[in-house]
Each structure stands twice: as C-alpha cells, then as structure tokens.
Amino acid sequence: MKFFVDTAEIKEISELSEMNLVDGVTTNPSLIAKSGNDIKETIKNICQIVPGPVSAEVTATDINGMIEEGKILHSLAPNVVVKIPLTWEGLEACNKFTELKIPTNVTLCFSAPQALLAAKAGATYVSPFIGRLDDTGINGVDLIGEIRAIYDNYDDLNTMILAASIRNINHVTQVAMIGADVATIPPKILKELVKHPLTDIGLSNFLDDWASTGQKIR
Ligand code: G3P
C-alpha cells in the first residue's frame, strides 16, 4: 500500500519525505486554506519535494470551469493529479481528463455506486472518505471493502482506491488489510503509526539492563 500525506504544509511534507515515507500527497481546498498559502505556489513547491502523485483540487463546480482549472493545475508540474468532486459534472470532467490522459482523483466518495461511476469515468484514483462516514454512524472501512470487491470483479476497472479521511492508526491497519491501493494519512497519524507502549517499556528495560553491565559498544 502506498502512503500519501494529506496536508498542504511544506515543512511536514519535507520532513516525512526525507524518511522516504511519502509516495504522494493529497491536498484539498480546506487544507490549502489552513496553510494560508497560495495554491499554485504550494502545489509547485510540493511537486519539487515529492516526485510522486500530488493531488490538487478544482474549485469550479461546472464542467467547463473544472476542465479549465484542472488544466491550469496540471500545467504546474507533470506529477499533478487533478482532484474532482464526485458530482455528475465532476464525472463529465473526469471523462474529459481521461481522454486528455491527465490523471484524476475523484474525491468525496461516500458510496460503492459512486465509486463504480468514478471507475467507469476512467478515474485514476477514487477517494472514499472513511472518517466522515464514521462520523455519521456508518462504518467507513466497510465501504473500502465494498469498493475493493467490486473493482476486483472486473478487469476493466483499473481505478486505484485511495482511502481518505483517515482519523486513526486503526483505519490504516484496516484499509491495508482490505487492500486499498493508497492511504492518504495526516502527518500526525503517520507519526503515530510507530508508537506502541510495549515498545517504550521494552526499550526502557533493555537500557536499564544494559547500563547495569557497565559495557559500551562505542
Ligand atoms: O483529503 C481529504 C480528506 O482526507 C479529508 O479528511 O479528516 O477532513 O475528513 P477529513
């Protein structure tokens, strides 16, 4: 499973990228707003740090506007993936980008039929939002399972499942077990993946025992 980071914060992306933990990046209008920076500059900067796919989202909601904005975003760097909302107009735009061979990430997916439509439109990625489904009392991870099962039934559905709206480390484990192609993870949660209390206790015990020997390795 690929790890994308779900952020528009350059500092966080650089830090994780040095650890080789970043296969790609996803942004959205809310994350750009939170960063306080210009979208084009931000996307260009991210693309200089990360050679993998970097999703940049259109904000127009009409088909012509989405196509125009998507072309502008894709012109910023060859690794820009145009992120489009899962609306009827978004699917039309996705079809157009498929024809133009511009990669797409169809976002705000909350159901299996929506994911099926995104794949039929030739989306490179579909982004089901797990956490936001959980917020409504529906199990978001189940949706990843449904989409995986559907896509695996048909050789001509090649859209990659990009599990989004990941809120905890359990989400990461579960989507990896199901076989999501990508998990886009907020930097804070990515760093939490390493944590386990027994690791800390075990290390502390080892160091105490080592100190009692008086030995040194270097
Ligand atoms: O990239 C969009 C998605 O990951 C949003 O997550 O936590 O705002 O639901 P969240």
Side-chain angles (χ1 to χ4, degrees):
M1 184 173 71
K2 302 276 186 204
F3 276 2
F4 288 4
V5 277
D6 201 22
T7 183
E9 303 295 337
I10 303 291
K11 198 168 158 278
E12 292 175 328
I13 295 168
S14 304
E15 189 187 318
L16 292 165
S17 172
E18 278 166 22
M19 297 268 297
N20 275 332
L21 276 174
V22 184
D23 298 307
V25 176
T26 52
T27 65
N28 62 37
S30 305
L31 292 171
I32 296 285
K34 194 173 157 207
S35 77
N37 295 321
D38 175 77
I39 180 166
K40 292 183 194 166
E41 282 312 305
T42 304
I43 297 297
K44 275 199 259 181
N45 287 338
I46 297 173
C47 289
Q48 276 173 1
I49 302 166
V50 178
V54 173
S55 289
E57 187 161 342
V58 299
T59 53
T61 52
D62 63 301
I63 165 116
N64 290 332
M66 281 193 248
I67 291 170
E68 215 175 305
E69 287 186 4
K71 284 180 177 170
I72 293 170
L73 292 171
H74 186 64
S75 73
L76 299 173
N79 52 331
V80 169
V81 172
V82 179
K83 205 170 177 187
I84 314 162
L86 215 163
T87 58
W88 202 254
E89 293 75 14
L91 291 172
E92 279 183 85
C94 182
N95 257 308
K96 182 71 189 165
F97 288 124
T98 305
E99 274 172 34
L100 295 171
K101 301 207 181 317
I102 292 178
T104 48
N105 174 358
V106 176
T107 189
L108 291 167
C109 172
F110 293 96
S111 76
Q114 285 184 321
L116 193 48
L117 282 173
K120 298 290 280 181
T124 314
Y125 301 96
V126 67
S127 289
F129 276 28
I130 320 178
R132 292 194 197 182
L133 268 178
D134 285 356
D135 291 344
T136 69
I138 296 167
N139 188 325
V141 169
D142 286 351
L143 174 60
I144 303 291
E146 288 172 11
I147 301 172
R148 181 75 285 156
I150 291 168
Y151 285 3
D152 287 352
N153 276 344
Y154 303 100
D155 289 342
D156 59 337
L157 300 182
N158 300 313
T159 299
M160 287 178 271
I161 302 172
L162 195 168
S165 186
I166 283 184
R167 302 273 176 76
N168 54 59
I169 60 172
N170 201 31
H171 277 156
V172 179
T173 309
Q174 289 178 303
V175 302
M177 283 172 66
I178 289 167
D181 300 284
V182 185
T184 189
I185 310 172
K188 183 174 168 283
I189 294 171
L190 195 45
K191 288 182 186 164
E192 279 173 16
L193 294 178
V194 75
K195 291 185 190 159
H196 196 286
L198 290 177
T199 304
D200 297 338
I201 293 167
L203 179 60
S204 167
N205 289 342
F206 284 157
L207 294 180
D208 287 348
D209 291 343
W210 180 247
S212 73
T213 69
Q215 297 185 49
K216 287 197 188 318
I217 294 176
R218 64 184 161 83

